[in-house]
Amino acid sequence: MPTKRIEIVQDILNVNDQIAEETNALLHTKHIFSMNIMASPGAGKTSVILRTLQELSPLVRCAVLEGDTAPVTIDAEKVSGIGIPAIQINSGGDCHLNANLVRKGIQSLDLDALDLILVENIGNLICPASWKLGTDMNVVIASIPEGDDKPYKYPNIYRGIQALVLNKIDLKPYVDFNIQYFKDGIAALNPGVEFFEVSAKTGEGITAWAEWLRKKIHDLR
Ligand SMILES: Nc1nc2c(ncn2[C@@H]2O[C@H](COP(=O)(O)OP(=O)(O)OP(=O)(O)O)[C@@H](O)[C@H]2O)c(=O)[nH]1
Ligand SMILES: [Mg+2]
């Protein structure tokens, strides 16, 4: 009888999910709330993070993992410039962070001195949607200049999120952006998503967003 050769190939996404679960469990033992922030390039991830940290810190002890595809430290320097610990993660050209990269980044942080970890993912609306990082929550930051049709054209990223932050609201008078059309697109994909309109430039709406986040951090403790 001929021998059968059976190959077992472990799904790379399964391995990723397993690491993500371990990371989430570790962060919970330390009572740390964590958030994966996704957006297209230039939507204002870093700007919203900086404003949010200014609102929450020092009562909430924060750290940021900054993901970039190239070996740069531009965003991490902005975060550490306001006195918040920042770890730069370079994805080596990949278009998304993964759970292993985030786990490595977290190993460089003093977890006993933190309540919140924000992860700025690589800027794009496609790849990050498929990769769990081990965070408690996924958030997309959209922005007015990108256009109101993005939920219809890039649906996957909106399916797994708990909150949507619409940034650059200060540019609304200058750009045709139908907020109801945008919201309807998200509601069709993922009803019940929390929606915040903010401007990282003027600070409008940041307090409401930061208060919502503060409550999530509090609920975990
Ligand atoms: N008018 C206006 N400009 C903003 C606002 N938020 C950010 N910007 C500008 O948008 C540009 C991109 O902002 P970043 O915060 O670097 O965006 P990002 O998503 O972190 O970008 P990457 O990390 O490169 O993907 C900068 O020139 C910011 O000054 C806003 O609320 N209003
Ligand atoms: Mg950035």
Side-chain angles (χ1 to χ4, degrees):
M1 208 170 122
T3 17
K4 270 195 189 164
R5 188 159 165 253
I6 300 171
E7 284 190 40
I8 300 174
V9 181
Q10 204 174 3
D11 184 343
I12 191 168
L13 279 173
N14 281 344
V15 174
N16 184 79
D17 289 0
Q18 198 180 320
I19 296 170
E21 274 176 31
E22 288 164 12
T23 297
N24 195 251
L26 169 67
L27 295 181
H28 282 185
T29 63
K30 302 285 183 183
H31 304 289
I32 297 172
F33 186 81
S34 54
M35 181 177 272
N36 171 23
I37 298 176
M38 301 176 286
S40 32
K45 295 178 291 300
T46 310
S47 305
V48 170
I49 287 170
L50 290 172
R51 277 278 190 180
T52 307
L53 296 174
Q54 281 161 342
E55 195 86 20
L56 294 176
S57 178
L59 284 181
V60 178
R61 300 166 302 163
C62 312
V64 180
L65 303 184
E66 281 293 348
D68 273 295
T69 174
V72 291
T73 54
I74 298 168
D75 289 352
E77 281 170 35
K78 288 179 185 168
V79 172
S80 58
I82 62 164
I84 303 288
I87 306 291
Q88 182 73 48
I89 304 177
N90 294 313
S91 72
D94 277 1
C95 55
H96 58 86
L97 292 181
N98 62 49
N100 197 37
L101 287 170
V102 167
R103 176 165 69 178
K104 280 189 192 156
I106 282 171
Q107 282 164 358
S108 308
L109 292 169
D110 177 4
L111 298 183
D112 292 318
L114 291 175
D115 306 306
L116 172 69
I117 296 176
L118 299 177
V119 182
E120 177 173 342
N121 213 317
I122 311 288
N124 78 73
L125 292 178
I126 304 159
C127 320
S130 309
W131 295 81
K132 289 184 187 166
L133 304 183
T135 51
D136 290 308
M137 197 171 277
N138 291 321
V139 173
V140 162
I141 297 182
S143 71
I144 294 286
E146 290 168 46
D148 52 20
D149 55 2
K150 294 301 162 288
Y152 303 90
K153 297 170 80 173
Y154 301 88
N156 269 352
I157 200 147
Y158 301 93
R159 290 202 172 99
I161 60 172
Q162 288 73 40
L164 187 295
V165 178
L166 178 58
N167 187 36
K168 309 196 187 182
I169 206 76
D170 57 290
L171 297 179
K172 179 82 177 54
Y174 314 105
V175 181
D176 290 334
F177 188 105
N178 183 332
I179 291 182
Q180 194 55 52
Y181 176 65
F182 180 76
K183 279 176 135 175
D184 288 347
I186 293 167
L189 297 164
N190 185 353
V193 170
E194 293 284 338
F195 189 84
F196 299 91
E197 292 177 31
V198 309
S199 167
K201 184 181 170 78
T202 67
E204 183 183 347
I206 294 287
T207 302
W209 151 248
E211 282 311 311
W212 180 80
L213 182 51
R214 196 195 302 274
K215 186 167 182 315
K216 295 287 173 201
I217 298 161
H218 180 263
D219 288 349
L220 186 78
R221 299 192 76 83

